[in-house]
Amino acid sequence: MKHLKKLGIVILSLPIILVVILVLYEIFGICINHITTKKQTNTLKINLENEISDIEIINIYSETGNTSGTGNHVDCLSSITFSTKMQETEIKNCMSEYYVFDEWSCYINKTDDGYYIICINTPAPFADNIEGH
């Protein structure tokens, strides 16, 4: 009879244990995705500073989540606004060592104020995380 009670408790506790494991897995995925975005943004900043001698960084922005609004997925978006005397083609040439400019996942735009914005958008390691839904 004791063994049946223990088995019953284990069986009744199993759904709660599975839900806790699922929630912990999602929280772990969220943390890893945010760490990846921060690392991507820092790497972009370092690469810009190494390749453009007269760079002045105006703004650094990063976002982890469903940045495109389509589908249920998580992206890592890094965006840096900066100024330099270099032209856009020169910047692309310098940065092409690190990135492939495809006008969607990696691109440079010039603002009306004369600043440049470089954006990198990559899939997150836990792309099917709850954060993208």
Side-chain angles (χ1 to χ4, degrees):
M1 193 64 167
K2 276 182 158 180
H3 295 297
L4 288 176
K5 278 186 180 181
K6 286 182 182 179
L7 182 62
I9 290 172
V10 169
I11 290 173
L12 290 175
S13 300
L14 197 56
I16 294 169
I17 292 169
L18 292 175
V19 167
V20 168
I21 289 171
L22 178 66
V23 168
L24 291 174
Y25 176 76
E26 290 295 328
I27 291 171
F28 176 75
I30 288 170
C31 293
I32 295 299
N33 288 344
H34 281 268
I35 289 168
T36 301
T37 301
K38 185 175 182 176
K39 182 179 177 186
Q40 174 179 285
T41 304
N42 287 338
T43 301
L44 176 60
K45 179 180 179 275
I46 289 167
N47 290 341
L48 282 169
E49 290 173 338
N50 286 341
E51 295 298 324
I52 303 172
S53 59
D54 67 337
I55 191 167
E56 180 185 340
I57 294 180
I58 308 301
N59 185 32
I60 298 175
Y61 174 79
S62 63
E63 179 181 344
T64 305
N66 189 341
T67 59
S68 67
T70 59
N72 295 330
H73 64 281
V74 182
D75 298 316
C76 300
L77 174 68
S78 302
S79 175
I80 297 180
T81 305
F82 63 96
S83 67
T84 181
K85 291 187 166 98
M86 293 175 74
Q87 297 299 314
E88 186 174 333
T89 54
E90 293 174 301
I91 298 168
K92 282 184 179 179
N93 287 339
C94 290
M95 298 305 289
S96 64
E97 178 181 338
Y98 308 103
Y99 307 104
V100 175
F101 292 93
D102 61 3
E103 300 306 319
W104 173 251
S105 61
C106 181
Y107 59 90
I108 295 177
N109 286 333
K110 190 168 187 174
T111 67
D112 294 335
D113 300 335
Y115 299 128
Y116 290 101
I117 298 175
I118 185 168
C119 294
I120 309 293
N121 192 359
T122 60
F126 288 83
D128 194 28
N129 190 271
I130 190 73
E131 199 169 22
H133 296 268

